[in-house]
Amino acid sequence: MDITTGILTDETIIKASNQHCIDQGLDPEQLPIYTRWYSEEVLSSQLSVYSEVIEVIDFFVNKFLSSVKGNPILVAITDDAGYLLAFKGDPTIIDLVGQVGIKEGVQLNKEVGTNSITLCLEYKRPFQLKGQDHFHKILHRLVCCTAPFYKEDGREILGTISFMADIDVAHPHLLPLLCTMADSIEREILLRRGNAELQLLNRILLDTNYLGVIITDELGTIVNINENCLTMLHLDGEYQESVIGASVFEIRNVGPYFQHVILLQEACAGLEVIQESNGLFEHYMLDVLPVYDSNACLARVIGSLRNITEIKKTEEVLRNTEKLVVAGQLAMSIAHEIRNPLTTVKGMLQLANKNSHLLHYDIIMSEVERMNLIVSEFLILGKPQAAHYKIEQCSTILQEVLSIFAIQVEMNNISLNTQIHYDAKIVCDRNQIKQIFLNILRNSMEALPFGGNITVDLDMDDGFQMITFTDNGEGMNQEVLERLGEPFHTTRGDGNGLGIMIVKKIVSAHRGRVAIVSEERVGTAVTIYLPIK
């Protein structure tokens, strides 16, 4: 023991170990006797557990042995209990140790005599035995060095690595060299497992079925990208192999965010990216995050895309619903405020005509009725109206509406044509159907400020009465067409955006549907589908 530090010296430990051998009756003239060993099945299992460790050690040992060719050196690997797992090195020494019973599967412990492996595991530090340090005389021609290598926590021994060499050729720095190799082995194992975890994480990210993932190095070169991402970025015509190795900066919409992260090393999270394809817009949520190595250096940049198109549509529906509520409340208020004086005016007109035969009475009353109809449109927005469904002939309702528009059409230099290919009976509320026809015809007229043609077709399609209103007016672009029917969305300065919304609401209540096709400077076709009785 070192008196100044209180630590047992190697010499003291070796003497104590040899004395223990004498005390248990071992004969130094005889060969060591090994009493514990793994069965073939257990040895195979341990070799599987330590396969990665042995692979790493092989890499370093092969480099070492290639640098000391001609020198009889043996390298032995054990597990944390001192069981020999593998040998590497000079065949002569491998044959020699085999003659004394040292082979794969046997355990080196106190019972077999003083050995560097047992001492290393017991005292948790490197040990070296030279010549007569060994208890058995057959080993006096050898130098044995053993160093431990540790698990990831750095506290528990994972196993040992040993050098065994002839005493005449053994280098004095053999033990320090072994310790350096053990340190390198620990780092390599740790690095491999870290890389394996990173690869697993990458695999999980790349294989996810709802995320688009793109991974680059610290310079922005794409090192991996999944199929989802290729599709989301409209690169699905490309092969993964052709995209990997390219610069992420060249990819539209996401490249600038990767550049920001790489240059400033700041994460970009919760960004909305819009991709356009064939006139359709898709919305994605983009997160771009830097990944650092153990030295706090940028190692990877990971970007993930999540499709939020449906969420955006839901948000739009909610916004429209809020507008609809406001429109309904406003409509109810306006309708009640107008209807009260309108009823008074109508009553006074009827009374005045009875007493004095008022001039132009019919025209005035017709306009009052039209005002009342407009007010009724507002009431539809405010609350559901009591519908009175009856079996009606579709063409009869249509002709009544067309007769109302006849004068206005002529005054605006518009040609109105009707084509009846199939006329069916429908179950409907007559007044509500008249109202949707009036709204559509009014829109068609307003699209023809300088005159034109309006055609109304009646036909049948798969159990539905089709009523198609076609004009050759100004038409609409795709963006306007997509927002058609939103409350307060209109392209006309005097419009309120409620007309088509009312049409859709009434048709939906009749279990029908509305189809609108339009092209700028060509015209618009609105088709109403109502179930046939």
Side-chain angles (χ1 to χ4, degrees):
M1 178 182 290
D2 189 327
I3 298 175
T4 58
T5 61
I7 298 175
L8 291 173
T9 62
D10 289 0
E11 183 180 356
T12 302
I13 291 171
I14 293 169
K15 285 182 178 180
S17 178
N18 284 331
Q19 184 59 49
H20 175 75
C21 294
I22 295 170
D23 294 342
Q24 63 181 351
L26 297 181
D27 185 354
E29 301 291 342
Q30 299 296 319
L31 295 177
I33 298 174
Y34 301 94
T35 58
R36 298 182 186 178
W37 57 85
Y38 283 144
S39 66
E40 288 187 10
E41 184 180 351
V42 176
L43 177 60
S44 176
S45 175
Q46 278 296 83
L47 287 173
S48 176
V49 172
Y50 279 78
S51 60
E52 184 181 36
V53 175
I54 293 172
E55 182 183 340
V56 171
I57 292 174
D58 279 352
F59 171 77
F60 287 101
V61 167
N62 289 335
K63 292 186 71 173
F64 169 72
L65 291 177
S66 66
S67 66
V68 292
K69 283 183 179 179
N71 294 318
I73 296 178
L74 172 71
V75 181
I77 306 165
T78 78
D79 60 14
D80 57 346
Y83 285 90
L84 288 164
L85 299 178
F87 291 112
K88 285 282 184 180
D90 184 76
T92 304
I93 298 190
I94 292 177
D95 183 61
L96 173 61
V97 298
Q99 292 177 22
V100 298
I102 302 176
K103 59 183 180 179
E104 286 93 342
V106 302
Q107 184 189 41
L108 278 298
N109 52 43
K110 287 183 177 182
E111 284 70 29
V112 302
T114 302
N115 64 86
S116 59
I117 293 173
T118 301
L119 296 177
C120 173
L121 289 171
E122 183 179 354
Y123 292 95
K124 295 182 171 42
R125 69 177 195 239
F127 255 93
Q128 176 175 273
L129 300 180
K130 297 175 67 174
Q132 295 183 12
D133 290 340
H134 296 94
F135 180 75
H136 293 90
K137 289 185 178 181
I138 194 172
L139 302 175
H140 285 183
R141 293 291 307 165
L142 299 176
V143 173
C144 296
C145 307
T146 302
F149 53 87
Y150 290 81
K151 296 180 180 180
E152 295 177 17
D153 58 11
R155 293 189 296 270
E156 293 185 52
I157 292 178
L158 179 60
T160 71
I161 179 170
S162 302
F163 284 163
M164 188 180 294
D166 188 279
I167 195 168
D168 292 334
V169 298
H171 195 280
H173 295 142
L174 203 57
L175 183 60
L177 178 63
L178 181 63
C179 292
T180 301
M181 185 181 292
D183 289 340
S184 300
I185 290 167
E186 285 180 16
R187 286 195 297 272
E188 180 65 20
I189 292 172
L190 188 62
L191 181 62
R192 283 195 177 201
R193 290 181 179 173
N195 288 341
E197 290 175 0
L198 184 60
Q199 287 295 330
L200 178 61
L201 178 61
N202 286 353
R203 195 75 269 146
I204 292 172
L205 282 172
L206 293 168
D207 289 347
T208 181
N209 57 5
Y210 64 89
L211 282 182
V213 180
I214 181 169
I215 303 172
T216 77
D217 63 13
E218 72 281 6
L219 299 177
T221 302
I222 298 171
V223 297
N224 223 326
I225 185 170
N226 67 356
E227 293 290 345
N228 287 343
C229 196
L230 290 174
T231 302
M232 291 175 176
L233 296 175
H234 302 301
L235 300 172
D236 41 326
E238 306 282 345
Y239 292 104
Q240 276 182 312
E241 293 77 9
S242 64
V243 176
I244 292 173
S247 174
V248 73
F249 305 145
E250 297 175 3
I251 299 180
R252 184 170 57 91
N253 288 339
V254 303
Y257 300 113
F258 276 85
Q259 191 171 24
H260 175 89
V261 171
I262 290 171
L263 292 178
L264 301 181
Q265 299 194 14
E266 294 178 353
C268 290
L271 304 166
E272 185 176 334
V273 174
I274 301 174
Q275 290 283 109
E276 187 270 336
S277 177
N278 299 324
L280 299 177
F281 293 90
E282 295 175 326
H283 298 260
Y284 297 97
M285 187 68 74
L286 172 67
D287 296 322
V288 185
L289 306 173
V291 178
Y292 301 95
D293 59 21
S294 57
N295 296 319
C297 296
L298 184 65
R300 290 286 187 269
V301 179
I302 300 177
S304 65
L305 281 167
R306 186 172 75 256
N307 195 320
I308 59 169
T309 304
E310 290 304 318
I311 295 175
K312 296 294 289 185
K313 288 180 180 179
T314 302
E315 290 176 352
E316 190 68 21
V317 169
L318 289 174
R319 280 196 294 270
N320 288 340
T321 302
E322 291 174 359
K323 290 180 182 179
L324 190 58
V325 171
V326 173
Q329 293 172 345
L330 181 62
M332 288 289 291
S333 175
I334 293 173
H336 283 295
E337 291 299 324
I338 294 177
R339 179 160 280 185
N340 290 335
L342 196 60
T343 302
T344 303
V345 169
K346 183 177 179 180
M348 296 300 293
L349 283 171
Q350 290 173 330
L351 182 62
N353 181 58
K354 184 177 181 181
N355 296 330
S356 60
H357 302 288
L358 188 66
L359 291 175
H360 309 298
Y361 173 79
D362 291 339
I363 296 175
I364 295 172
M365 286 301 293
S366 174
E367 290 302 304
V368 169
E369 287 297 336
R370 194 157 73 90
M371 290 172 63
N372 197 45
L373 183 64
I374 292 171
V375 171
S376 297
E377 289 185 2
F378 283 105
L379 287 174
I380 288 175
L381 288 176
K383 63 179 180 179
Q385 301 295 299
H388 303 284
Y389 291 99
K390 293 181 181 179
I391 298 175
E392 304 280 358
Q393 196 72 35
C394 187
S395 61
T396 303
I397 300 174
L398 180 63
Q399 289 299 336
E400 291 179 10
V401 173
L402 293 178
S403 64
I404 296 174
F405 269 86
I407 298 175
Q408 295 183 52
V409 164
E410 187 176 343
M411 291 175 59
N412 287 278
N413 195 27
I414 295 173
S415 173
L416 181 60
N417 302 305
T418 305
Q419 299 176 0
I420 300 178
H421 303 289
Y422 188 91
D423 180 24
K425 293 181 186 248
I426 57 176
V427 178
C428 66
D429 182 303
R430 186 185 191 86
N431 290 330
Q432 289 188 1
I433 297 301
K434 285 176 68 175
Q435 184 160 349
I436 64 174
F437 291 169
L438 285 167
N439 282 3
I440 295 171
L441 283 167
R442 189 181 302 128
N443 285 344
S444 295
M445 287 181 57
E446 290 173 351
L448 297 166
F450 307 108
N453 299 313
I454 297 176
T455 302
V456 184
D457 288 290
L458 262 68
D459 210 335
M460 189 268 289
D461 178 50
D462 195 23
F464 285 86
Q465 173 76 72
M466 293 170 53
I467 310 98
T468 302
F469 301 83
T470 307
D471 67 66
N472 63 342
E474 300 168 345
M476 295 171 283
N477 60 33
Q478 187 65 30
E479 183 181 356
V480 173
L481 196 59
E482 286 177 359
R483 298 191 63 185
L484 204 61
E486 291 183 13
F488 308 125
H489 176 71
T490 179
T491 56
R492 299 194 304 272
D494 59 346
N496 54 30
L498 301 177
I500 292 297
M501 186 179 66
I502 291 171
V503 168
K504 289 184 175 181
K505 187 170 183 179
I506 293 174
V507 172
S508 177
H510 282 74
R511 293 180 292 110
R513 65 183 189 275
V514 180
I516 304 174
V517 178
S518 186
E519 185 177 346
E520 285 186 291
R521 294 183 294 279
V522 175
T524 302
V526 181
T527 302
I528 305 298
Y529 293 83
L530 296 171
I532 294 174
K533 171 61 180 174

